[in-house]
Amino acid sequence: MTQKTVTTIYWIGTVLTSLWFGASGFFEITGNPIVWGITQQLGYPSHFIYLLGIFKLSGVAVLLTPGKLLRLKEWVFAGIFFDIVFAFASKLSVLGLPATVDAVVAFVMVSVTYTMFRKMYPGLNAEFSKRTGFANEM
């Protein structure tokens, strides 16, 4: 796979992920009755829904920053994966298997995007280790 292909797949995935989680975050912050109804049906409290919306919108801002904040992007991807896994588990236990389709689609989409991110920046772990001095300790 060429670097151009990797970059193209990464940015398509990043835009789709940002649209998905950006819309979700916006609806959580603005109190959209459909999103709030489902989230409260799953048992989550109101303050959690607001926090989730703020974190999602902040994460989208980081993901859309090209070529910077690479370590923070790692954390954003981790947060998105946690959100997807918890959404899947919550929906499965409360609403049943058919309600988990969106979580499965999101998981596949974000997994491909993260894989392309790692291919774009293969030396990310080595760079972090060198800057922090952890390379000498291991």
Side-chain angles (χ1 to χ4, degrees), residues 7 10-11 13-15 17-18 56-74 76-77 113 117 120-121 124:
T7 303
Y10 167 75
W11 279 108
T14 298
V15 168
T17 300
S18 297
K56 284 179 182 180
L57 291 176
S58 300
V60 165
V62 170
L63 285 181
L64 291 175
T65 305
K68 297 183 191 261
L69 306 171
L70 301 180
R71 182 58 56 189
L72 191 53
K73 283 183 187 186
E74 290 268 356
V76 169
F77 277 115
T113 304
F117 172 74
M120 284 176 59
Y121 302 102
L124 192 58

Side-chain angles (χ1 to χ4, degrees), residues 6-130:
V6 168
T7 303
T8 302
I9 294 170
Y10 167 75
W11 279 108
I12 289 171
T14 298
V15 168
L16 292 174
T17 300
S18 297
L19 287 171
W20 188 314
F21 284 87
S24 174
F26 175 78
F27 292 143
E28 288 160 349
I29 288 175
T30 58
N32 178 283
I34 295 171
V35 172
W36 271 64
I38 291 170
T39 310
Q40 287 178 324
Q41 185 181 2
L42 296 175
Y44 294 104
S46 299
H47 68 277
F48 179 78
I49 301 170
Y50 281 118
L51 282 173
L52 200 56
I54 290 167
F55 288 141
K56 284 179 182 180
L57 291 176
S58 300
V60 165
V62 170
L63 285 181
L64 291 175
T65 305
K68 297 183 191 261
L69 306 171
L70 301 180
R71 182 58 56 189
L72 191 53
K73 283 183 187 186
E74 290 268 356
W75 283 90
V76 169
F77 277 115
I80 289 171
F81 278 113
F82 284 126
D83 178 76
I84 293 168
V85 167
F86 290 133
F88 177 84
S90 298
K91 288 179 176 184
L92 182 62
S93 65
V94 175
L95 303 175
L97 186 61
T100 64
V101 171
D102 61 337
V104 173
V105 171
F107 185 81
V108 170
M109 177 182 67
V110 176
S111 295
V112 170
T113 304
Y114 180 70
T115 301
M116 296 303 114
F117 172 74
R118 293 303 300 193
K119 286 186 179 203
M120 284 176 59
Y121 302 102
L124 192 58
N125 286 340
E127 178 185 326
F128 180 71
S129 297
K130 187 170 57 174

